[in-house]
Structures are given as structure tokens and as C-alpha cells.
Amino acid sequence: MTTRDRGDGRATAQADHFDSYYGRRILKPPTWEAATIGGYLYLGGLAGASSVFAAGGQLTGRPRLARAGKAAALVGVGLSLAALVEDLGRPARFLHMLRTFKPTSPMSVGSWLLAAYAPLVGVSLFTDVTGRFPLAGRAACYGAAVLGPAVTTYTAVLISDTAVPAWHEGYREMPFLFAGSATATAAGSALIATPAAENGPARRAAVLGTALELAAGRLMRHRMGMVGEAYERGRAGVLMRTGEALALAGAAGAALSGRGGRAAAVLSGAALMAASACIRLGVFSAGVASTQDPRYTVVPQRERLAGRLSKT
Amino acid sequence: MGFFTDTSVCIGCKACEVACKEWNRLPPDPPFQLTGLSFDNTEQLSASTWRHVAFIEQRKPVREPSGGEQTSDQRWLMASDVCKHCTDAACLDVCPTGSLFRTEFGTVVVQADICNGCGYCVSACPYGVIDKRESDGLAWKCTLCYDRIGEGMVPACAKACPTESIQYGELSELLDRATARVETLQREGVTDARLYGHDPDDGVRGNGAFFLLLDEPEVYGLPPAPMDTTRDLPAMWRHMALAALTVAAGIITAFAAGR
Ligand code: SF4
Ligand code: SF4
């Protein structure tokens, strides 16, 4: 047999001429678990954007929105650290992350970022709930809001700075996808937890965040060329499509829920949160799938080589 | 220092694979199973296989040297693969603990006592070399026999190779030898002969382990034009910063719009 196309139909359906070693993958699939690291991507987004909501609520005299934001941030960052430790296997291994600071390693930068951010979130919720040290609490809340946006988007760099085709090729749009998704999901949690009198900003942010999430996602897949297929097939495809549908429904519900009352707000909030989770897990699955098939490694690299030759 | 692997003389004996396993006391890759892929039951490099011999059965006309008679239409390619010890090593760049480091020989080595098993290097390597071992959760790969070369010895695989398919030495010297070998083969009519991973202008600025191949790299399971992913990292940080500002601006707008 030749090494070309194994006759599983997939490779042959592709017009491009393409060789491989018995159809074996070239790259190693990520060692990360979808549940822990996929969840980590989602929870970091929820936490970071919720901190901005908390500061906004505090600044504009919406105490319940502020407290909901602080609580969502703490739950998000707490669970995401737990997910990270679970993926490493032992808590002590997390400390190895803080041995050095390496700007060339997004994971090192992110660990330091979380190490600074998590205590701020903790202090800000603690002082809010207990009513003690209000000044320190306000400062911590604003501090968390300053770091929050970076917490939501650094994870996009974390996964893009890899050889995984469906992640690396999207490095320009991925941070915006994560930004939109985080804004929408934090808005969703605020819609669930706050009364109608205070949830105006959440309703508007839900629409803005969803628009950014969907637009960045579409643009990203379009710009990737054939690698974008990894987002349309299999598990990733199902997750992405479900996520997009839920996001549209959630944003529409949020926009109208001003009139619809509590139940509508809670439902749209839940839809927005589920949408972001589906899209993050979809991005994760697409990455894994793109390492399993050598086509996603060979074809774009061949194109790059051909492009370089035709330029010289 | 580095490796030159001349696949045109490889006989697929797997002495390198075995010598590497023995010297480095590498555990087996469980579970053992026959793959049905020619004589290859290892499939690829892994945390516990640091040299891997690929077997490719191909339908391609084989000629006598110097463009003589066609003797067969079936040929076998055999090639021993290894970590490339990239000049721009993505695995080393992304490691958050500093466990991966560049040695005084210019090679790339993992320190097991510092690695925390985060697996970032696994996803960063554009060649799919380094991997996490199930049993201890740590990342492992070829060290280019750091312990041997430090003592002035040759790496175990190169020592064991009976045909000198694997050569160890000073990179510039190896490159001279490799270039001469390609020229000889080309002159003898083996027009497919080419070097892979030797070019300081490629996506990883050249490898500490390069190869003489008899077909396209992807036929051997090698990426045709790998790129060190951290090349784009400055652009990634810029996009991230802009996106972070977008989150803040979006939520501020949502607050401001209702007033
Ligand atoms: S081949 Fe992979 S594991 Fe080896 S040095 Fe290069 S990036 Fe690192
Ligand atoms: S798995 Fe170990 S060697 Fe690899 S990046 Fe993480 S800490 Fe570094």
C-alpha cells in the first residue's frame, strides 16, 4: 500500500494531494483534560469579567450587582485553580509554577496573574459580606477589576501559543472570542443573581458580549482556511453550533427581559452561561481534533512553503 | 553538538531504539500491541521512546545506481527519528517552571525534579516529540545522552548503530558530511535525496538533529515546515491586551448607556 490516503474517505474527500505516515498524527494531542482545562478556560473568563461588573456595581450604587459579581469571581477563580491543580495531579506542583517568571511562557505569566488576582477577589467578597474593612474591600474590588480583563483573555494566548493548528492559527481572534464570551457569561450570572432594578448593565453587556463572541468566532474560523474545519466537525462542531444557538437565544432574551420579569432574566442568563461553556469546550475539542489528523499539520505547512517559494 | 541521521543507510535494525531504552532505563510503552504497520510497533516518539524507527513500504521505481535499469517497483524507507533539539525550541520557551533548559552542548533537556507535569511543552512542540508519561505524570524526551556526552562518550543510539546511519558530532562538521553525502546520492541518480532540519533559516532556526531523507518529510511522519510557535508571541500579547481593553470598555459602556 502507499502511504497516501488510508481510504477512510476523510483524507480522499480533500482535494489536496497529501502524504502521511500511515495516516498517523504528527503532533501529540494536548495532555490536558477537557473537563479540567476546558473548564479552566471558561471559569477564568467568568471570574475576570465578573470583577469588572462588581466594580461597576460598586461605583454606580448597585450593591447587589456588586456582590453578585464578587461572588461569581470568587467561585470562578477558586474552581479554576482547583481545576489546574487537579490537572497537575498534586497541589505542590503548582508551586513549581512560581519558581521563575518567564514572559515567553503564557502559563508562567498567567500563574503570577492568578496569584495576584485571587487574593484581591477573596478580600473584596469577604469585606462585602462581613462589612469589615470597607476601605480595603473597595480597593481590592477595584484592583480585581483592573486585573480581571487580563484574566479573561490571557487564556487565549495560553492555548494559541502551541503547535495545535486549530488554536495557533486563531491567535489573532481568539482573545476577542474569549473577551466576548467572558463578558456574556458574567452578564449571564449577573442576570440570574440580581433583581431587575439593578440588572440593566448586565442586559446590555449580554448583547455586546454575545455579538463579540459570535463575530470573533466566525472571523477566526474563516481566516484559518482549511484548519477551520476542525471547528465544524464532530464533537467540536456540535458544541460550537449549540453554543451559538444558545448565545443568540440568551442575548435576545436578555435584551427583552427588561419587560419580561425575573423568570425571563434567569432563563436568558442560564442560556448565556451555557453558551459560553459550549463555545469554550468547542474550542478545546477543535484543538484536540486538529492534532489527531496529520492533514491539519501537513496541508497548511505545504501551503506556507509554496507561498514562500512563489514570493522569491 | 548534535545528530546527523542518514536514513539512506538505515537497515531498520532498531539497535538505536533498544540502546536508548537500555541506557536511559526507559519503561515500556503500555500496552504492547502489534500495529500492522509494516515492522513498526512503536508508532511514534513518546515519553518512553526517545528513538523511533519508522518503516515505510512504498510503490516507487527503484533504479540501479547512476540511473541504470529499474530493478523493482517496491521500496522500503527506514528512518530513525529523535528529538530535534531545536535552535528555537518551543518546548523550552513555554515551560513555566524552567524545567526544560539549554545545555552547554546546545541541546534541550528536561529536569524531572522541576517539571510539574503541566504538559505545556507537549502541545508546543511542532514535531510531536515530547510527551507526558502516564506513570509519573512528568514530561520526558531525548536528552541527547546528556550524561554520556558530558563524559566524552557518544550517545547510546549513535554508538549502537551498525551502519553509521546515526552520527554524533560537531554540527558544522556533520553538515559538511551530510552535504557531501546528498551530492553523492544525487549524482548516483537518487534525485529524491534531501536534507531536513539543517537550515538555520527555517521555522525553528535549524535543528540540533537533522536528517537525510529520501522522500518528503510527511512520508516519514515529519512536519514539512514546522514553526516555533513563540515567534508569534509578541503579536499574541498585543491582541490579548487589546481584547482585555475591549472587555473593560464593553462593560463600562453597558453601565454608562443606561444612565
Ligand atoms: S523537537 Fe520538540 S521537544 Fe525537541 S527541542 Fe524541538 S520543540 Fe523541544
Ligand atoms: S510538563 Fe514539565 S517540562 Fe513540560 S512545560 Fe510543564 S513543567 Fe515544563
Side-chain angles (χ1 to χ4, degrees):
Chain A
M1 100 172 212
T2 67
T3 54
R4 193 158 307 151
D5 302 345
R6 286 160 301 155
D8 62 2
R10 238 173 2 165
T12 21
Q14 275 301 308
D16 353 53
H17 158 93
F18 148 75
D19 284 307
S20 75
Y21 182 60
Y22 300 105
R24 300 279 120 168
R25 63 178 184 224
I26 290 177
L27 300 171
K28 290 280 184 289
T31 58
W32 303 325
E33 294 288 332
T36 50
I37 298 303
Y40 173 78
L41 300 179
Y42 170 76
L43 292 163
L46 171 65
S50 292
S51 286
V52 186
F53 274 104
Q58 186 164 285
L59 209 58
T60 60
R62 291 181 171 92
R64 293 210 260 186
L65 181 59
R67 182 172 294 178
K70 291 171 192 176
L74 189 66
V75 170
V77 74
L79 287 179
S80 78
L81 282 173
L84 187 61
V85 166
E86 165 70 27
D87 203 69
L88 294 179
R90 273 190 255 135
R93 285 188 175 168
F94 180 76
L95 296 177
H96 287 206
M97 298 273 194
L98 306 175
R99 264 185 87 243
T100 62
F101 176 77
K102 273 176 81 179
T104 61
S105 170
M107 198 179 281
S108 166
V109 175
S111 300
W112 284 103
L113 187 61
L114 284 181
Y117 171 77
L120 289 176
V121 172
V123 169
S124 120
L125 182 67
F126 175 78
T127 57
D128 189 325
V129 174
T130 60
R132 302 174 64 188
F133 315 111
L135 217 66
R138 292 184 85 82
C141 176
Y142 295 135
V146 169
L147 295 182
V151 171
T152 67
T153 53
Y154 99 83
T155 42
V157 181
L158 178 79
I159 63 167
S160 303
D161 190 24
T162 58
V164 176
W167 292 344
H168 185 82
E169 296 300 319
Y171 75 82
R172 296 175 188 82
E173 296 85 9
M174 197 77 81
F176 293 95
L177 169 64
F178 279 27
S181 160
T183 305
T185 201
S189 80
L191 278 176
I192 294 175
T194 45
E198 290 190 13
N199 75 9
R203 277 184 277 127
R204 289 182 288 275
V207 176
L208 284 177
T210 301
L212 181 60
E213 177 177 44
L214 296 185
R218 285 288 158 119
L219 183 65
M220 177 173 93
R221 277 138 68 189
H222 179 73
R223 274 262 293 260
M224 279 183 189
M226 73 80 76
V227 177
E229 283 169 15
Y231 287 89
E232 278 144 30
R233 297 183 175 177
R235 199 177 129 80
V238 173
L239 284 165
M240 292 305 281
R241 284 189 293 275
T242 312
E244 289 189 351
L246 280 170
L248 282 175
L256 301 174
S257 70
R259 272 165 272 155
R262 281 300 295 147
V266 169
L267 265 181
S268 13
L272 287 165
M273 293 183 79
S276 296
C278 284
I279 290 181
R280 301 287 178 126
L281 290 175
V283 167
F284 189 87
S285 305
V288 174
S290 73
T291 59
Q292 296 284 15
D293 190 335
R295 206 162 45 94
Y296 294 115
T297 307
V298 174
V299 174
Q301 293 191 11
R302 276 282 154 217
E303 279 166 9
R304 192 161 75 221
L305 273 180
R308 203 189 300 160
L309 287 182
S310 68
K311 251 180 256 151
T312 52
Chain B
M1 305 301 280
F3 280 133
F4 164 47
T5 306
D6 178 352
T7 71
S8 70
V9 294
C10 178
I11 53 169
C13 67
K14 297 186 200 180
C16 52
E17 241 187 83
V18 176
C20 175
K21 280 252 181 200
E22 294 253 317
W23 178 261
N24 295 298
R25 302 199 180 165
L26 300 178
D29 279 295
F32 175 77
Q33 55 185 9
L34 296 174
T35 59
L37 308 176
S38 192
F39 290 101
D40 186 359
N41 295 313
T42 321
E43 294 187 65
Q44 58 188 325
L45 294 173
S46 75
S48 308
T49 297
W50 300 349
R51 268 276 176 194
H52 162 241
V53 183
F55 289 76
I56 300 114
E57 295 183 42
Q58 249 189 354
R59 287 215 175 278
K60 261 204 177 164
V62 180
R63 292 179 188 288
E64 301 239 297
S66 309
E69 288 284 292
Q70 177 172 332
T71 50
S72 159
D73 67 345
Q74 169 95 36
R75 72 167 178 174
W76 273 14
L77 300 177
M78 286 155 269
S80 178
D81 192 14
V82 70
C83 168
K84 316 300 179 289
H85 296 276
C86 311
T87 306
D88 284 344
C91 62
L92 192 156
D93 287 341
V94 303
C95 174
T97 63
S99 154
L100 275 153
F101 72 107
R102 172 107 32 214
T103 69
E104 65 271 37
F105 303 102
T107 55
V108 180
V109 171
V110 204
Q111 303 169 82
D113 54 341
I114 293 171
C115 172
N116 69 359
C118 72
Y120 207 0
C121 52
V122 176
S123 290
C125 172
Y127 295 94
V129 168
I130 192 163
D131 205 2
K132 199 164 140 174
R133 192 180 284 165
E134 277 294 322
S135 55
D136 55 18
L138 303 179
W140 297 95
K141 72 169 192 71
C142 158
T143 67
L144 219 140
C145 282
Y146 190 37
D147 51 348
R148 290 175 61 94
I149 63 179
E151 299 291 321
M153 290 191 283
V154 168
C157 55
K159 182 89 187 173
C161 177
T163 62
E164 293 187 342
S165 172
I166 298 173
Q167 303 177 21
Y168 165 78
E170 194 69 58
L171 277 173
S172 57
E173 199 180 298
L174 290 176
L175 188 59
D176 288 345
R177 228 182 286 164
T179 317
R181 175 71 184 150
V182 172
E183 277 164 13
T184 311
L185 285 169
Q186 292 272 1
R187 222 178 310 118
E188 286 176 359
V190 188
T191 49
D192 282 341
R194 76 206 60 201
L195 293 184
Y196 173 80
H198 63 296
D199 182 359
D201 294 326
D202 69 12
V204 298
R205 290 204 299 124
N207 294 131
F210 61 96
F211 301 79
L212 190 161
L213 304 179
L214 297 178
D215 205 335
E216 301 287 355
E218 54 268 35
V219 169
Y220 295 87
L222 296 164
M227 182 88 89
D228 167 29
T229 166
T230 27
R231 258 190 202 199
D232 299 319
L233 192 58
M236 289 180 198
W237 287 130
R238 279 198 299 277
H239 282 90
M240 174 211 135
L242 210 59
L245 287 177
T246 311
V247 174
I251 299 177
I252 290 171
T253 309
F255 273 95
R259 302 242 116 186

PDB file of all heavy atoms in Angstrom, chain A residues 107, chain B residues 91 94-100 110 114-122 130 132 137-139, ligand 2:
ATOM      1  N   MET A 107       1.865  30.424  30.433  1.00  0.00           N
ATOM      2  CA  MET A 107       1.402  29.752  31.639  1.00  0.00           C
ATOM      3  C   MET A 107       2.078  30.337  32.870  1.00  0.00           C
ATOM      4  O   MET A 107       1.460  30.470  33.928  1.00  0.00           O
ATOM      5  CB  MET A 107       1.658  28.247  31.558  1.00  0.00           C
ATOM      6  CG  MET A 107       0.827  27.472  32.565  1.00  0.00           C
ATOM      7  SD  MET A 107       1.088  25.715  32.486  1.00  0.00           S
ATOM      8  CE  MET A 107       0.114  25.238  31.081  1.00  0.00           C
TER       9      MET A 107
ATOM     10  N   CYS B  91       9.239  24.074  23.122  1.00  0.00           N
ATOM     11  CA  CYS B  91       9.027  23.383  24.397  1.00  0.00           C
ATOM     12  C   CYS B  91       9.714  24.140  25.516  1.00  0.00           C
ATOM     13  O   CYS B  91       9.165  24.342  26.590  1.00  0.00           O
ATOM     14  CB  CYS B  91       9.552  21.951  24.311  1.00  0.00           C
ATOM     15  SG  CYS B  91      11.324  21.836  24.003  1.00  0.00           S
ATOM     16  N   VAL B  94       8.019  27.705  26.345  1.00  0.00           N
ATOM     17  CA  VAL B  94       6.738  27.772  27.056  1.00  0.00           C
ATOM     18  C   VAL B  94       6.780  27.151  28.450  1.00  0.00           C
ATOM     19  O   VAL B  94       5.879  27.385  29.248  1.00  0.00           O
ATOM     20  CB  VAL B  94       5.593  27.090  26.267  1.00  0.00           C
ATOM     21  CG1 VAL B  94       5.447  27.712  24.894  1.00  0.00           C
ATOM     22  CG2 VAL B  94       5.772  25.607  26.208  1.00  0.00           C
ATOM     23  N   CYS B  95       7.798  26.365  28.756  1.00  0.00           N
ATOM     24  CA  CYS B  95       7.830  25.682  30.062  1.00  0.00           C
ATOM     25  C   CYS B  95       7.766  26.707  31.193  1.00  0.00           C
ATOM     26  O   CYS B  95       8.640  27.553  31.317  1.00  0.00           O
ATOM     27  CB  CYS B  95       9.099  24.835  30.179  1.00  0.00           C
ATOM     28  SG  CYS B  95       9.293  24.122  31.818  1.00  0.00           S
ATOM     29  N   PRO B  96       6.727  26.651  32.032  1.00  0.00           N
ATOM     30  CA  PRO B  96       6.550  27.684  33.052  1.00  0.00           C
ATOM     31  C   PRO B  96       7.458  27.506  34.265  1.00  0.00           C
ATOM     32  O   PRO B  96       7.573  28.414  35.079  1.00  0.00           O
ATOM     33  CB  PRO B  96       5.085  27.522  33.457  1.00  0.00           C
ATOM     34  CG  PRO B  96       4.803  26.086  33.246  1.00  0.00           C
ATOM     35  CD  PRO B  96       5.626  25.669  32.052  1.00  0.00           C
ATOM     36  N   THR B  97       8.081  26.347  34.402  1.00  0.00           N
ATOM     37  CA  THR B  97       8.845  26.083  35.614  1.00  0.00           C
ATOM     38  C   THR B  97      10.346  26.224  35.399  1.00  0.00           C
ATOM     39  O   THR B  97      11.106  26.185  36.360  1.00  0.00           O
ATOM     40  CB  THR B  97       8.596  24.648  36.113  1.00  0.00           C
ATOM     41  OG1 THR B  97       9.074  23.752  35.108  1.00  0.00           O
ATOM     42  CG2 THR B  97       7.126  24.397  36.367  1.00  0.00           C
ATOM     43  N   GLY B  98      10.770  26.335  34.157  1.00  0.00           N
ATOM     44  CA  GLY B  98      12.203  26.343  33.891  1.00  0.00           C
ATOM     45  C   GLY B  98      12.799  24.959  33.936  1.00  0.00           C
ATOM     46  O   GLY B  98      14.016  24.787  34.002  1.00  0.00           O
ATOM     47  N   SER B  99      11.919  23.944  33.866  1.00  0.00           N
ATOM     48  CA  SER B  99      12.404  22.574  33.917  1.00  0.00           C
ATOM     49  C   SER B  99      13.181  22.201  32.648  1.00  0.00           C
ATOM     50  O   SER B  99      14.175  21.478  32.696  1.00  0.00           O
ATOM     51  CB  SER B  99      11.196  21.650  34.088  1.00  0.00           C
ATOM     52  OG  SER B  99      11.463  20.386  33.580  1.00  0.00           O
ATOM     53  N   LEU B 100      12.738  22.720  31.510  1.00  0.00           N
ATOM     54  CA  LEU B 100      13.463  22.488  30.254  1.00  0.00           C
ATOM     55  C   LEU B 100      14.552  23.545  30.137  1.00  0.00           C
ATOM     56  O   LEU B 100      14.295  24.732  30.334  1.00  0.00           O
ATOM     57  CB  LEU B 100      12.499  22.597  29.072  1.00  0.00           C
ATOM     58  CG  LEU B 100      11.726  21.321  28.747  1.00  0.00           C
ATOM     59  CD1 LEU B 100      10.402  21.649  28.078  1.00  0.00           C
ATOM     60  CD2 LEU B 100      12.557  20.435  27.844  1.00  0.00           C
ATOM     61  N   VAL B 110      15.114  18.047  29.786  1.00  0.00           N
ATOM     62  CA  VAL B 110      14.110  18.242  30.848  1.00  0.00           C
ATOM     63  C   VAL B 110      14.682  17.788  32.183  1.00  0.00           C
ATOM     64  O   VAL B 110      15.294  16.732  32.255  1.00  0.00           O
ATOM     65  CB  VAL B 110      12.848  17.351  30.658  1.00  0.00           C
ATOM     66  CG1 VAL B 110      11.642  17.952  31.348  1.00  0.00           C
ATOM     67  CG2 VAL B 110      12.578  17.038  29.214  1.00  0.00           C
ATOM     68  N   ILE B 114      12.066  19.188  38.536  1.00  0.00           N
ATOM     69  CA  ILE B 114      11.450  20.509  38.487  1.00  0.00           C
ATOM     70  C   ILE B 114      10.166  20.508  37.660  1.00  0.00           C
ATOM     71  O   ILE B 114       9.238  21.270  37.921  1.00  0.00           O
ATOM     72  CB  ILE B 114      12.467  21.534  37.939  1.00  0.00           C
ATOM     73  CG1 ILE B 114      13.596  21.689  38.942  1.00  0.00           C
ATOM     74  CG2 ILE B 114      11.798  22.878  37.683  1.00  0.00           C
ATOM     75  CD1 ILE B 114      14.745  22.485  38.444  1.00  0.00           C
ATOM     76  N   CYS B 115      10.109  19.622  36.676  1.00  0.00           N
ATOM     77  CA  CYS B 115       8.902  19.504  35.849  1.00  0.00           C
ATOM     78  C   CYS B 115       7.690  19.274  36.756  1.00  0.00           C
ATOM     79  O   CYS B 115       7.756  18.495  37.699  1.00  0.00           O
ATOM     80  CB  CYS B 115       9.069  18.322  34.897  1.00  0.00           C
ATOM     81  SG  CYS B 115       7.562  17.923  33.989  1.00  0.00           S
ATOM     82  N   ASN B 116       6.593  19.968  36.462  1.00  0.00           N
ATOM     83  CA  ASN B 116       5.390  19.746  37.280  1.00  0.00           C
ATOM     84  C   ASN B 116       4.292  19.049  36.482  1.00  0.00           C
ATOM     85  O   ASN B 116       3.154  18.978  36.921  1.00  0.00           O
ATOM     86  CB  ASN B 116       4.883  21.058  37.885  1.00  0.00           C
ATOM     87  CG  ASN B 116       4.305  21.999  36.847  1.00  0.00           C
ATOM     88  OD1 ASN B 116       4.291  21.676  35.673  1.00  0.00           O
ATOM     89  ND2 ASN B 116       3.839  23.151  37.269  1.00  0.00           N
ATOM     90  N   GLY B 117       4.642  18.595  35.292  1.00  0.00           N
ATOM     91  CA  GLY B 117       3.683  17.822  34.519  1.00  0.00           C
ATOM     92  C   GLY B 117       2.553  18.633  33.926  1.00  0.00           C
ATOM     93  O   GLY B 117       1.493  18.094  33.619  1.00  0.00           O
ATOM     94  N   CYS B 118       2.767  19.935  33.711  1.00  0.00           N
ATOM     95  CA  CYS B 118       1.687  20.772  33.186  1.00  0.00           C
ATOM     96  C   CYS B 118       1.365  20.424  31.730  1.00  0.00           C
ATOM     97  O   CYS B 118       0.289  20.729  31.246  1.00  0.00           O
ATOM     98  CB  CYS B 118       2.037  22.250  33.318  1.00  0.00           C
ATOM     99  SG  CYS B 118       3.316  22.794  32.169  1.00  0.00           S
ATOM    100  N   GLY B 119       2.315  19.818  31.032  1.00  0.00           N
ATOM    101  CA  GLY B 119       2.045  19.378  29.671  1.00  0.00           C
ATOM    102  C   GLY B 119       2.085  20.474  28.620  1.00  0.00           C
ATOM    103  O   GLY B 119       1.749  20.240  27.454  1.00  0.00           O
ATOM    104  N   TYR B 120       2.510  21.672  29.002  1.00  0.00           N
ATOM    105  CA  TYR B 120       2.530  22.760  28.022  1.00  0.00           C
ATOM    106  C   TYR B 120       3.505  22.460  26.878  1.00  0.00           C
ATOM    107  O   TYR B 120       3.210  22.702  25.711  1.00  0.00           O
ATOM    108  CB  TYR B 120       2.909  24.069  28.721  1.00  0.00           C
ATOM    109  CG  TYR B 120       2.376  25.314  28.057  1.00  0.00           C
ATOM    110  CD1 TYR B 120       1.593  25.255  26.902  1.00  0.00           C
ATOM    111  CD2 TYR B 120       2.647  26.573  28.581  1.00  0.00           C
ATOM    112  CE1 TYR B 120       1.095  26.399  26.310  1.00  0.00           C
ATOM    113  CE2 TYR B 120       2.146  27.723  27.989  1.00  0.00           C
ATOM    114  CZ  TYR B 120       1.381  27.634  26.847  1.00  0.00           C
ATOM    115  OH  TYR B 120       0.895  28.774  26.267  1.00  0.00           O
ATOM    116  N   CYS B 121       4.675  21.906  27.251  1.00  0.00           N
ATOM    117  CA  CYS B 121       5.684  21.584  26.235  1.00  0.00           C
ATOM    118  C   CYS B 121       5.131  20.606  25.198  1.00  0.00           C
ATOM    119  O   CYS B 121       5.480  20.684  24.015  1.00  0.00           O
ATOM    120  CB  CYS B 121       6.914  20.996  26.908  1.00  0.00           C
ATOM    121  SG  CYS B 121       6.542  19.621  28.008  1.00  0.00           S
ATOM    122  N   VAL B 122       4.267  19.685  25.647  1.00  0.00           N
ATOM    123  CA  VAL B 122       3.726  18.664  24.751  1.00  0.00           C
ATOM    124  C   VAL B 122       2.943  19.314  23.612  1.00  0.00           C
ATOM    125  O   VAL B 122       3.089  18.954  22.436  1.00  0.00           O
ATOM    126  CB  VAL B 122       2.820  17.685  25.533  1.00  0.00           C
ATOM    127  CG1 VAL B 122       2.162  16.678  24.592  1.00  0.00           C
ATOM    128  CG2 VAL B 122       3.607  16.971  26.612  1.00  0.00           C
ATOM    129  N   ILE B 130       8.018  15.535  22.476  1.00  0.00           N
ATOM    130  CA  ILE B 130       7.968  15.365  23.934  1.00  0.00           C
ATOM    131  C   ILE B 130       6.564  14.934  24.350  1.00  0.00           C
ATOM    132  O   ILE B 130       5.578  15.304  23.703  1.00  0.00           O
ATOM    133  CB  ILE B 130       8.398  16.673  24.631  1.00  0.00           C
ATOM    134  CG1 ILE B 130       8.654  16.462  26.123  1.00  0.00           C
ATOM    135  CG2 ILE B 130       7.399  17.790  24.399  1.00  0.00           C
ATOM    136  CD1 ILE B 130       9.452  17.594  26.762  1.00  0.00           C
ATOM    137  N   LYS B 132       4.002  13.358  27.942  1.00  0.00           N
ATOM    138  CA  LYS B 132       3.871  13.143  29.378  1.00  0.00           C
ATOM    139  C   LYS B 132       3.751  11.644  29.616  1.00  0.00           C
ATOM    140  O   LYS B 132       3.008  10.961  28.914  1.00  0.00           O
ATOM    141  CB  LYS B 132       2.605  13.873  29.830  1.00  0.00           C
ATOM    142  CG  LYS B 132       2.511  14.167  31.287  1.00  0.00           C
ATOM    143  CD  LYS B 132       1.421  15.228  31.518  1.00  0.00           C
ATOM    144  CE  LYS B 132       0.625  14.927  32.739  1.00  0.00           C
ATOM    145  NZ  LYS B 132      -0.331  15.996  33.069  1.00  0.00           N
ATOM    146  N   GLY B 137       3.401  11.169  35.423  1.00  0.00           N
ATOM    147  CA  GLY B 137       2.813  12.467  35.092  1.00  0.00           C
ATOM    148  C   GLY B 137       3.833  13.532  34.715  1.00  0.00           C
ATOM    149  O   GLY B 137       3.510  14.717  34.699  1.00  0.00           O
ATOM    150  N   LEU B 138       5.059  13.145  34.402  1.00  0.00           N
ATOM    151  CA  LEU B 138       6.078  14.134  34.042  1.00  0.00           C
ATOM    152  C   LEU B 138       6.414  14.042  32.555  1.00  0.00           C
ATOM    153  O   LEU B 138       6.162  13.028  31.908  1.00  0.00           O
ATOM    154  CB  LEU B 138       7.354  13.905  34.865  1.00  0.00           C
ATOM    155  CG  LEU B 138       7.179  13.935  36.380  1.00  0.00           C
ATOM    156  CD1 LEU B 138       8.514  13.680  37.079  1.00  0.00           C
ATOM    157  CD2 LEU B 138       6.595  15.275  36.836  1.00  0.00           C
ATOM    158  N   ALA B 139       6.991  15.117  32.029  1.00  0.00           N
ATOM    159  CA  ALA B 139       7.352  15.153  30.613  1.00  0.00           C
ATOM    160  C   ALA B 139       8.761  14.597  30.414  1.00  0.00           C
ATOM    161  O   ALA B 139       9.675  14.886  31.191  1.00  0.00           O
ATOM    162  CB  ALA B 139       7.283  16.593  30.113  1.00  0.00           C
TER     163      ALA B 139
HETATM  164  S1  SF4 C   2       5.364  19.474  31.565  1.00  0.00           S
HETATM  165 FE1  SF4 C   2       7.253  19.884  32.715  1.00  0.00          FE
HETATM  166  S2  SF4 C   2       8.818  20.291  31.147  1.00  0.00           S
HETATM  167 FE2  SF4 C   2       6.809  20.428  30.138  1.00  0.00          FE
HETATM  168  S3  SF4 C   2       6.285  22.603  30.203  1.00  0.00           S
HETATM  169 FE3  SF4 C   2       5.336  21.664  32.020  1.00  0.00          FE
HETATM  170  S4  SF4 C   2       6.868  21.916  33.649  1.00  0.00           S
HETATM  171 FE4  SF4 C   2       7.945  22.291  31.706  1.00  0.00          FE
END
